[in-house]
Amino acid sequence: MTVEEAAHLIIRGDVVAFPTETVYGLGADARNPAAVSKIFSLKGRPGDNPLIVHLSGRPQVSDFVAVVPPEAEKLMKKCWPGPLTIIFKKKPDVLDLITSGLPTVALRVPDHSLALALIQLTGPLVAPSANKSGRPSPTKPEHIRRDFGDDVPILDGGVCSIGLESTVIDLSKKPFTLLRPGKYTREQLSNIIGNDITYEPQTSVKPRSPGLKYSHYQPEAKVRWFHTEKNYDKNRTLLITHHDHPDGYPNHMHYSQDFDRMARELYDQFRSADFNRLTTILIEPIPDSSSHPMIAALKNRIDKAVGQEP
Ligand code: TXA
Ligand code: MG
């Protein structure tokens, strides 16, 4: 499918999956309520989990936001296009369906030529990750086909370069808060705005980002940090390490401290383990002392996949 064909479908009210630098999104016209509600039903997404609006550039922000704080100007200038979602106070006419009735709206400009070309033709697109609710986000077209079969047309952009979802920062009120870690770290963002950013741990009882309360990123196989290993069948286990080389695991991915590659491939590893009918995914714990920028995001997604179970 070409960008023009994808745009045509979206303009007539359909939903189309398209690539971004983070993960694939399931896109619909942000001004068409019927199209936006299709996204919720296709994904099986709870209505109280709002959507990110994807823009092709800074000028479109004014369609959604009346007052842009100076800190946001700095972030947009440095980080867009790029893997940063900013939460603003919304204009009253932004669809409640998009924001789940919240007084805020999430905006981002993706750093991907196909995504930008598409949005230039269609205007702003709402786009959650293009997976069924609760499943790992898709980083290549076959992941989308696995979740949706032929129900969703796909604009093919190959493999996503980052592999984990965008950083989400809330600038709608002070103190500014990091809601989801991603490729842009809290430190990088604080340096740009010259202000501290608090981090709202995702376990909080009343999450500010509604999506944080739902289970996420989960393959069928149990995901566990390696130190909690019990007596798992090694033949039905995928071991993912970045440092150690333990013996006796026939399915072993070793990342030699390449955390960018580990982030890019994590969800594909989760999905491949399911495809190969493995029952357990064991991941070597990542030390806090490690200063690589992807580590906060990696640990966060793995912790969420591990969930509450022992
Ligand atoms: O990298 C990404 O951000 C990908 C690509 C496709 O752009 N999109 C993505 O969308 O991850 P989704 O829907 O899977 O995750 C959006 C997150 C959810 O946790 C949601 O609750 C939060 O952003 N969010 C959206 N609007 C919000 C708002 N107004 N206030 C707080 N959190 C919001
Ligand atoms: Mg998602």
Side-chain angles (χ1 to χ4, degrees), residues 26 64 79 98 101 116 119 128 130 146:
L26 198 57
F64 298 86
C79 305
I98 295 178
L116 292 173
I119 300 165
R146 204 137 252 288

Side-chain angles (χ1 to χ4, degrees), residues 29-40:
D29 180 349
R31 288 160 302 195
N32 180 338
V36 177
S37 62
K38 273 188 203 165
I39 284 189
F40 286 90

Side-chain angles (χ1 to χ4, degrees), residues 12-250:
R12 73 167 202 207
D14 288 353
V15 169
V16 174
F18 67 95
T20 80
E21 79 281 31
T22 57
V23 301
Y24 274 78
L26 198 57
D29 180 349
R31 288 160 302 195
N32 180 338
V36 177
S37 62
K38 273 188 203 165
I39 284 189
F40 286 90
S41 50
L42 268 168
K43 273 185 68 103
R45 184 178 177 105
D48 65 352
N49 193 1
L51 303 172
I52 298 172
V53 181
H54 294 63
L55 312 174
S56 58
R58 164 71 182 89
Q60 291 173 331
V61 170
S62 321
D63 297 351
F64 298 86
V65 180
V67 184
V68 174
E71 292 87 353
E73 292 292 1
K74 289 187 191 163
L75 287 179
M76 292 187 292
K77 205 157 173 240
K78 283 260 184 193
C79 305
W80 281 2
L84 178 69
T85 296
I86 304 176
I87 314 267
F88 295 92
K89 281 200 193 93
K90 68 162 201 157
K91 273 188 170 173
D93 59 350
V94 179
L95 292 177
D96 272 341
L97 207 51
I98 295 178
T99 66
S100 303
L102 292 173
T104 55
V105 64
L107 303 179
R108 105 173 181 91
V109 177
D111 186 14
H112 192 291
S113 55
L114 285 178
L116 292 173
L118 180 65
I119 300 165
Q120 268 152 23
L121 294 172
T122 58
L125 294 181
V126 287
S129 49
N131 51 281
K132 288 273 187 190
S133 209
R135 300 274 300 142
S137 295
T139 55
K140 45 168 86 158
E142 71 186 62
H143 298 161
I144 305 167
R145 265 179 238 120
R146 204 137 252 288
D147 279 12
F148 295 102
D150 292 332
D151 291 347
V152 172
I154 303 169
L155 180 60
D156 190 335
V159 178
C160 299
S161 61
I162 296 175
L164 298 180
E165 304 82 353
S166 60
T167 306
V168 180
I169 183 173
D170 187 348
L171 299 185
S172 70
K173 54 177 175 285
K174 291 195 172 167
F176 299 143
T177 310
L178 187 81
L179 299 179
R180 182 172 73 183
K183 185 170 170 68
Y184 280 116
T185 65
R186 186 170 138 198
E187 292 69 29
Q188 286 170 328
L189 301 179
S190 314
N191 287 339
I192 294 169
I193 63 178
N195 233 320
D196 263 1
I197 297 166
T198 51
Y199 178 37
E200 180 141 317
Q202 304 215 344
T203 48
S204 66
V205 184
K206 273 199 134 198
R208 279 255 286 279
S209 202
L212 303 184
K213 77 182 178 200
Y214 296 107
S215 79
H216 264 317
Y217 322 117
Q218 270 166 350
E220 306 281 327
K222 286 188 298 244
V223 182
R224 297 290 180 265
W225 291 108
F226 193 33
H227 54 69
T228 64
E229 183 195 18
K230 304 219 175 68
N231 284 325
Y232 297 119
D233 176 356
K234 287 187 178 173
N235 289 315
R236 301 192 70 189
T237 294
L238 168 65
L239 178 67
I240 301 178
T241 64
H242 54 86
H243 178 251
D244 284 339
H245 294 265
D247 288 331
Y249 285 87

